[in-house]
Amino acid sequence: MSIVVVGSVAFDSLKTPFGAREKILGGAATHFSLSASYFTDVRVVAVVGEDFTQEEESVMTRRGVDTRGIQHAKGKTFFWKGEYGENVNEARTLDTQLNVFEKFDPQVPAEYKDSDYLFLANIDPALQVRVRDSMKRVKLVGGDTMNFWITSQRQNLNEMLKRVDILLINDGEAKMLADDSSLPRAANKVLEMGPKALVIKHGEYGATIFFRDGEFGGGHHPFRAPALPLDEVRDPTGAGDSFAGGFMGYIASQGEITRRVLKHAMFYGSVMGSFAVERFGTERMQSLTREAIDERFNAFRELTHLD
Amino acid sequence: MSIVVVGSVAFDSLKTPFGAREKILGGAATHFSLSASYFTDVRVVAVVGEDFTQEEESVMTRRGVDTRGIQHAKGKTFFWKGEYGENVNEARTLDTQLNVFEKFDPQVPAEYKDSDYLFLANIDPALQVRVRDSMKRVKLVGGDTMNFWITSQRQNLNEMLKRVDILLINDGEAKMLADDSSLPRAANKVLEMGPKALVIKHGEYGATIFFRDGEFGGGHHPFRAPALPLDEVRDPTGAGDSFAGGFMGYIASQGEITRRVLKHAMFYGSVMGSFAVERFGTERMQSLTREAIDERFNAFRELTHLD
């Protein structure tokens, strides 16, 4: 099964306690695509500028990612500059240049329209709504958002929430979206806004999936996946998108969407997130093997399972 | 098998978003004892003042807790007043009156000396060392500490760390003790200070046990227990001590200390911590059944296990 992802492709300049990199390949759709490519066929919808070369595109195509949906526009590619201090959970944005991303008008190529799965990475919710509505036959829609849209585009975001089956956000976003400081209460409020399931990512503490009662063949009981205790988080950029790639990619590879599949997808999401932060940018996501992924999956199982 | 706990018995005045209570029974040794009493025989060493009545003591004796080690001194019982805001993970101390606790000179009664298990709740590390050294035949020593001792009594604390087999602290304490902002790195540094295993409690995100390689019949791989996503945390006071009570109590009930036992103990610790916060003070810990405990144990299993 194939999955379409719509989102940003970007250049990132990063500084972490482990070093710095200038203008390396980044963006939510990039991290998602590379991660999901270890599980299923991936098709990207994005926009890049004239500074985006064949070299960058081949990072994706080498992993079998279909890049026909990447528009090449006049101008520069979306650029983000940030740094992380000792607390790697908090990024400090030093510069954001939207460039061609500012007028991004996502077009899903006709060749993509037979995809059963769709992931709406973190972009303007109005665009997320339009893309989702242009792909009527998809079986499952995953989506992401961020604080900026929660505060500035609430009405469009509400429309988006009615159109995603599974929303993936972090603790702070969930609490902000629900206006509730209790995570479980916030989760239930978000589920009332539309999604059938909600994945809340807790950074180094893992992630929890909450369900609307009766959806995906089960009750309302949540399920929690751990994160791997890692001595060195070299670069946290893209961890959440790599999580989403592993999560959605695994689901798309299974053909059925049961609780069992979703639980395993939570583990694969955590696995891919744990790999992503081991090196800068997309480095680790370029060089994985399915064997290494399944080995780490087993490590996650040992970390959490009693028997 | 029986376990001896040395620590505080106190009166607490509490305010949380769910209400307030004046001068209710509290203290680390109290919460620990009640929690552990569902698993094994518990013996308390503590000090109380003249305001501590038969009614309070019977809360413990009704649960079969041996209170012969509670000294009755002239003066008032240790008193703590605090409040919790919307973020229940942070207590704000409004008043602390050490009272008889200030000159606490713990004496382990002769009748307790055949105990195989010992828990050193959060008191002056010099006292912890002395109690531990007075019980040479114990098979396993668990211990707790806090920021205050880490900064003000480091030398005594270092001696204490050499004498505990399993240290149970929270994220902030581990990072402070190791002077390292990375939790896994901090864990490894703390293990080098003495303990064979280290339990780090993450509040609503659960807890992780880290091992020194080769101890308790296994490698260095950590194990993580979840916390239950609870809509309402009515009173977080004593959650950590209730965790410790479930953890140590379960170990003491098993007769052998294997990795398998320690993993289950992590779950029972989380289970008891989750009950503790459902009501004020020791209310919930007074009225549990082993059936309810095992039912919640199974809920924790479902929350984390793939199959």
Side-chain angles (χ1 to χ4, degrees):
Chain A
M1 303 283 187
S2 66
I3 184 163
V4 171
V5 54
V6 53
S8 61
V9 170
F11 286 119
D12 292 339
S13 285
L14 306 163
K15 199 175 161 188
T16 86
F18 292 91
R21 296 289 188 280
E22 289 298 323
K23 235 192 154 205
I24 58 173
L25 181 61
T30 311
H31 291 291
F32 180 97
S33 296
L34 292 174
S35 175
S37 75
Y38 290 92
F39 301 91
T40 195
D41 292 333
V42 186
R43 298 160 161 184
V44 194
V45 175
V47 63
V48 295
E50 291 152 307
D51 52 351
F52 191 84
T53 69
Q54 193 53 45
E55 196 187 321
E56 279 93 26
E57 191 150 336
S58 70
V59 169
M60 287 189 252
T61 52
R62 270 202 305 272
R63 286 290 322 143
V65 174
D66 190 334
T67 57
R68 285 176 294 179
I70 297 185
Q71 307 161 28
H72 291 260
K74 277 212 186 303
K76 280 187 166 183
T77 303
F78 180 26
F79 173 74
W80 180 76
K81 184 176 181 173
E83 67 177 16
Y84 301 86
E86 275 299 315
N87 180 356
V88 291
N89 297 315
E90 284 169 35
R92 196 159 75 91
T93 292
L94 301 173
D95 192 10
T96 302
Q97 296 171 18
L98 289 176
N99 298 328
V100 297
F101 199 62
E102 192 166 6
K103 300 207 170 151
F104 181 33
D105 178 20
Q107 303 293 339
V108 181
E111 304 92 322
Y112 286 12
K113 298 262 175 158
D114 62 346
S115 285
D116 284 325
Y117 298 86
L118 170 65
F119 185 71
L120 306 165
N122 171 30
I123 56 171
D124 186 331
L127 299 182
Q128 291 177 315
V129 165
R130 202 147 53 67
V131 170
R132 196 270 167 267
D133 288 348
S134 77
M135 293 188 68
K136 288 288 180 198
R137 73 176 292 277
V138 292
K139 277 167 44 178
L140 187 84
V141 182
D144 187 11
T145 190
M146 70 183 294
N147 294 352
F148 179 71
W149 308 118
I150 295 171
T151 50
S152 68
Q153 294 283 336
R154 191 52 188 261
Q155 209 169 334
N156 288 333
L157 184 60
N158 287 342
E159 290 303 312
M160 178 268 199
L161 291 174
K162 287 178 196 151
R163 287 164 169 84
V164 293
D165 300 296
I166 307 180
L167 182 71
L168 293 92
I169 51 181
N170 66 31
D171 286 35
E173 289 155 357
K175 289 177 180 178
M176 180 182 272
L177 191 51
D179 190 23
D180 197 314
S181 64
S182 151
L183 204 60
R185 273 203 311 261
N188 289 327
K189 288 185 185 174
V190 172
L191 287 173
E192 284 169 16
M193 298 174 193
K196 301 185 179 101
L198 169 66
V199 176
I200 303 186
K201 295 167 286 177
H202 316 306
E204 64 174 316
Y205 299 116
T208 307
I209 185 166
F210 295 86
F211 297 100
R212 255 204 277 159
D213 203 7
E215 295 291 351
F216 304 118
H220 72 281
H221 295 297
F223 180 76
R224 184 164 277 187
L228 205 63
L230 289 168
D231 279 14
E232 296 185 347
V233 173
R234 291 186 173 267
D235 172 16
T237 317
D241 300 309
S242 300
F243 181 105
F247 178 83
M248 293 292 299
Y250 177 77
I251 293 171
S253 76
Q254 294 301 295
E256 54 167 15
I257 312 163
T258 62
R259 287 294 169 104
R260 192 176 182 283
V261 167
L262 291 171
K263 288 179 182 181
H264 281 73
M266 287 292 286
F267 267 57
Y268 278 111
S270 283
V271 163
M272 300 310 280
S274 77
F275 278 122
V277 303
E278 287 182 348
R279 298 197 202 153
F280 275 85
T282 59
E283 271 178 52
R284 195 71 184 98
M285 281 297 129
Q286 293 184 39
S287 60
L288 280 171
T289 62
R290 187 58 199 253
E291 199 183 3
I293 291 167
D294 285 326
E295 199 177 293
R296 186 157 291 185
F297 183 94
N298 288 331
F300 272 74
R301 186 192 281 268
E302 279 178 32
L303 177 66
T304 50
H305 283 48
L306 290 167
D307 310 301
Chain B
M1 303 283 188
S2 66
I3 185 163
V4 171
V5 54
V6 53
S8 61
V9 170
F11 285 118
D12 292 339
S13 285
L14 306 162
K15 199 175 162 188
T16 85
F18 291 92
R21 295 290 187 281
E22 289 298 323
K23 235 192 152 204
I24 56 172
L25 181 62
T30 311
H31 291 292
F32 180 97
S33 296
L34 293 174
S35 174
S37 73
Y38 291 92
F39 301 92
T40 195
D41 292 331
V42 186
R43 297 159 161 186
V44 193
V45 175
V47 64
V48 296
E50 291 153 307
D51 52 350
F52 191 85
T53 69
Q54 193 53 44
E55 195 188 321
E56 278 93 26
E57 193 150 334
S58 70
V59 169
M60 286 190 252
T61 52
R62 270 203 304 273
R63 286 290 321 142
V65 175
D66 190 334
T67 58
R68 285 176 294 177
I70 297 186
Q71 306 160 29
H72 292 261
K74 277 210 186 305
K76 280 188 166 182
T77 303
F78 179 27
F79 173 76
W80 181 75
K81 184 176 182 172
E83 66 176 19
Y84 302 85
E86 275 300 315
N87 179 355
V88 290
N89 296 315
E90 283 170 34
R92 196 158 75 91
T93 292
L94 300 174
D95 192 10
T96 303
Q97 296 171 19
L98 290 176
N99 298 329
V100 298
F101 198 62
E102 192 165 7
K103 299 205 169 153
F104 182 32
D105 178 19
Q107 303 293 338
V108 181
E111 303 93 323
Y112 286 11
K113 297 263 175 156
D114 62 346
S115 285
D116 284 325
Y117 298 85
L118 172 64
F119 185 70
L120 305 166
N122 170 32
I123 55 171
D124 186 330
L127 300 182
Q128 291 177 315
V129 166
R130 202 147 54 67
V131 170
R132 196 270 167 267
D133 288 349
S134 77
M135 295 188 68
K136 287 291 182 198
R137 70 177 293 279
V138 292
K139 278 167 48 179
L140 188 85
V141 182
D144 186 11
T145 191
M146 71 184 292
N147 294 353
F148 179 71
W149 309 118
I150 296 171
T151 50
S152 69
Q153 294 283 338
R154 191 51 187 263
Q155 208 168 336
N156 288 333
L157 184 60
N158 286 342
E159 290 303 311
M160 178 269 200
L161 291 174
K162 287 176 195 151
R163 286 165 170 84
V164 294
D165 300 295
I166 307 180
L167 183 71
L168 293 93
I169 50 180
N170 66 32
D171 286 36
E173 289 156 357
K175 289 176 180 177
M176 180 181 272
L177 191 52
D179 192 22
D180 197 315
S181 64
S182 151
L183 205 60
R185 274 203 312 261
N188 288 328
K189 288 184 186 175
V190 172
L191 288 173
E192 284 169 16
M193 299 174 193
K196 300 184 180 104
L198 169 65
V199 176
I200 303 185
K201 294 165 286 178
H202 315 308
E204 65 174 315
Y205 299 116
T208 308
I209 185 165
F210 295 87
F211 297 100
R212 254 203 278 158
D213 204 7
E215 295 291 351
F216 305 117
H220 71 281
H221 296 297
F223 180 76
R224 185 162 278 187
L228 205 63
L230 288 169
D231 278 15
E232 296 185 347
V233 173
R234 289 187 174 265
D235 172 17
T237 316
D241 300 308
S242 300
F243 180 105
F247 178 82
M248 293 292 298
Y250 177 77
I251 293 172
S253 76
Q254 293 301 296
E256 54 167 15
I257 311 162
T258 62
R259 288 294 169 104
R260 190 176 184 283
V261 166
L262 291 170
K263 288 178 184 180
H264 281 72
M266 288 292 287
F267 267 57
Y268 278 111
S270 283
V271 163
M272 299 310 281
S274 77
F275 278 122
V277 303
E278 287 182 348
R279 298 198 201 153
F280 276 85
T282 59
E283 271 178 53
R284 195 71 185 99
M285 281 296 129
Q286 294 184 39
S287 61
L288 280 170
T289 61
R290 188 57 199 254
E291 198 182 4
I293 291 168
D294 285 327
E295 199 177 294
R296 185 158 293 185
F297 184 95
N298 288 332
F300 272 74
R301 185 192 281 268
E302 277 178 33
L303 178 66
T304 51
H305 283 48
L306 290 166
D307 309 301

